[in-house]
Amino acid sequence: MNKEARVQFVIDTLKELYPTIPVPLDHKDPYTLLIAVLLSAQCTDVRVNQITPLLFAKADNPYDMVKMSIEEIKEIIRPCGLSPMKSKGIHGLSEILIEKHNGEVPQSFEALEALPAVGHKTASVVMSQAFGVPAFPVDTHIHRLMYRWNLSNGKNVAQTEKDAKRLFPRELWNDLHLQIIWYGREYSPARGWNLEKDIITKTVGKKSLIEELEKTVSKK
């Protein structure tokens, strides 16, 4: 199977498995999505979805958020980890949204990435999920699966993003990045990986990886 056929198999399989695609982080508008994505760094989406209702009950917009102290924000978001950095980022970006963007989340990568604690991946998620702009945010699941599927060399997330954008049609990026995340969680996790359940890797995956996994399983 050549690369083009492998890419098409991935697209077709994911579409069949996930005809409707839930967004992992609960939110109601671009601002609450931005905060949720920022909190998700090195934290599970499940944990974030437990914490954001507590934070948003007090402040679900930048004007109310800046009325809170960084310390108050930090106490609420502590279970998400990295709370000193994240609380400063949330307070700081809320101030900038009020000062420079009339309290609205800007609709450009450049303006988003200029906000405190907002990197390229966070900006990509917001542009994709809040504004419908084609983007391909690469998280650990996508990085792992693009390598397993022999569609990227796995060197770094920046390279994986370039490869994904080159291989997949632009109009599918927003759906595909979410479909791959769900697939990674359900069928191709980092731990407890069962190749029999992982139809995509089993069909198009990197041969050396599959052989290595089969050897490990046979030794048990």
Side-chain angles (χ1 to χ4, degrees):
M1 201 185 285
N2 64 23
K3 190 168 270 191
E4 197 174 289
R6 284 188 281 121
V7 166
Q8 194 58 51
F9 180 81
V10 168
I11 292 169
D12 294 343
T13 306
L14 291 173
K15 192 171 184 180
E16 191 177 319
L17 287 171
Y18 306 104
T20 57
I21 314 156
V23 174
L25 292 168
D26 297 338
H27 66 284
K28 64 175 185 175
D29 56 23
Y31 180 76
T32 52
L33 176 63
L34 174 60
I35 301 304
V37 179
L38 189 154
L39 288 174
S40 72
Q42 295 184 37
C43 181
T44 65
D45 292 346
V46 171
R47 176 63 58 84
V48 173
N49 288 339
Q50 291 168 346
I51 298 303
T52 48
L54 306 176
L55 179 63
F56 296 152
K58 289 182 175 286
D60 62 358
N61 63 79
Y63 296 96
D64 287 335
M65 196 66 79
V66 296
K67 290 175 188 171
M68 295 176 71
S69 69
I70 291 171
E71 197 59 39
E72 285 174 308
I73 297 169
K74 186 167 81 173
E75 279 306 306
I76 295 171
I77 67 168
R78 192 181 296 279
C80 292
L82 305 177
S83 58
M85 182 198 76
K86 290 177 181 177
S87 56
K88 283 179 189 170
I90 289 168
H91 198 276
L93 71 82
S94 298
E95 286 181 328
I96 292 170
L97 292 182
I98 293 167
E99 290 166 10
K100 294 188 176 179
H101 303 286
N102 299 313
E104 300 290 325
V105 175
Q107 298 187 34
S108 80
F109 284 96
E110 189 180 17
L112 282 168
E113 289 179 38
L115 296 171
V118 176
H120 180 65
K121 183 199 153 200
T122 297
S124 295
V125 173
V126 173
M127 290 297 284
S128 165
Q129 294 173 16
F131 303 125
V133 175
F136 216 109
V138 172
D139 75 343
T140 54
H141 297 290
I142 294 173
H143 187 53
R144 178 176 71 255
L145 296 191
M146 287 289 289
Y147 178 72
R148 282 184 179 175
W149 297 342
N150 207 15
L151 299 177
S152 186
N153 60 23
K155 280 184 180 174
N156 54 60
V157 291
Q159 185 58 52
T160 299
E161 182 182 340
K162 279 182 191 171
D163 291 335
K165 286 180 170 178
R166 179 173 50 82
L167 292 168
F168 294 116
R170 183 180 170 85
E171 66 273 14
L172 297 181
W173 290 355
N174 289 354
D175 284 351
L176 276 169
H177 93 262
L178 285 173
Q179 289 169 324
I180 295 173
I181 289 169
W182 286 114
Y183 185 90
R185 290 175 180 178
E186 293 187 51
Y187 299 99
S188 194
R191 294 176 185 173
W193 182 26
N194 182 341
L195 187 63
E196 291 308 306
K197 291 180 182 176
D198 186 354
I199 183 66
I200 297 180
T201 307
K202 195 176 177 184
T203 306
V204 306
K206 197 182 279 280
K207 283 180 183 172
S208 58
L209 262 182
I210 293 170
E211 286 167 5
E212 196 178 306
L213 182 69
E214 285 172 341
K215 277 180 195 171
T216 307
V217 171
S218 65
K219 283 177 184 175
K220 288 180 180 177

